[in-house]
Amino acid sequence: MAKNILICDDAAFMRMMIKDILTKNGYNVVGEAENGNKAIEAYSELKPDLVLMDITMPELDGIGALKGIKKNDPNANVIMCSAMGQQAMVIEAIQSGAKDFIVKPFQAERVLEAVKKVIG
């Protein structure tokens, strides 16, 4: 059965790119969110197997959203996405419970490798 994934990124183009990579490889993208608040809402509504979360977003950033999701579901699987030069934020995300992180610009192989590692 296909695994359900929620994509959270404030850039529609990035969401589209990730969705394309995932759907071509048999994953089911169940939802998208453009900020951290919407990500938390979408997570509790959709209960996906995995969340791909951008670190830098308006309203509530990815780390805040990660903490909100983890508070509601300690077993949530979240992979963070970051631009180069956000090492401190990546470390904070991992300490807050993120399972892995992917650096932008995305390499399809790296996205799939991270997803497989976390949810198979």
Side-chain angles (χ1 to χ4, degrees):
M1 195 172 118
K3 298 283 186 179
N4 294 329
I5 300 177
L6 172 65
I7 300 170
C8 307
D9 195 307
D10 56 324
F13 173 73
M14 283 302 194
R15 294 197 306 269
M16 191 182 70
M17 267 178 52
I18 300 168
K19 185 176 186 172
D20 192 51
I21 293 167
L22 295 170
T23 52
K24 281 183 178 158
N25 287 279
Y27 293 99
N28 189 13
V29 175
V30 290
E32 295 182 20
E34 66 275 2
N35 66 53
N37 292 324
K38 292 219 164 88
I40 295 170
E41 275 172 40
Y43 185 88
S44 47
E45 197 180 296
L46 302 166
K47 304 272 186 265
D49 298 301
L50 174 70
V51 181
L52 284 172
M53 177 96 65
D54 186 20
I55 286 183
T56 315
M57 292 186 290
E59 289 182 41
L60 180 65
D61 69 9
I63 292 171
L66 167 67
K67 289 175 180 171
I69 287 170
K70 283 292 203 180
K71 196 173 80 181
N72 298 336
D73 179 3
N75 300 317
N77 293 311
V78 181
I79 295 175
M80 302 305 286
C81 306
S82 76
M84 289 290 191
Q86 293 180 318
Q87 273 67 24
M89 292 177 97
V90 167
I91 291 164
E92 188 183 346
I94 298 294
Q95 290 168 341
S96 300
K99 297 278 202 288
D100 201 350
F101 70 94
I102 307 164
V103 177
K104 294 175 179 178
F106 298 119
Q107 305 292 312
E109 302 76 44
R110 177 66 188 108
V111 172
L112 294 168
E113 175 194 317
V115 170
K116 283 190 183 105
K117 189 174 95 178
V118 176
I119 61 171

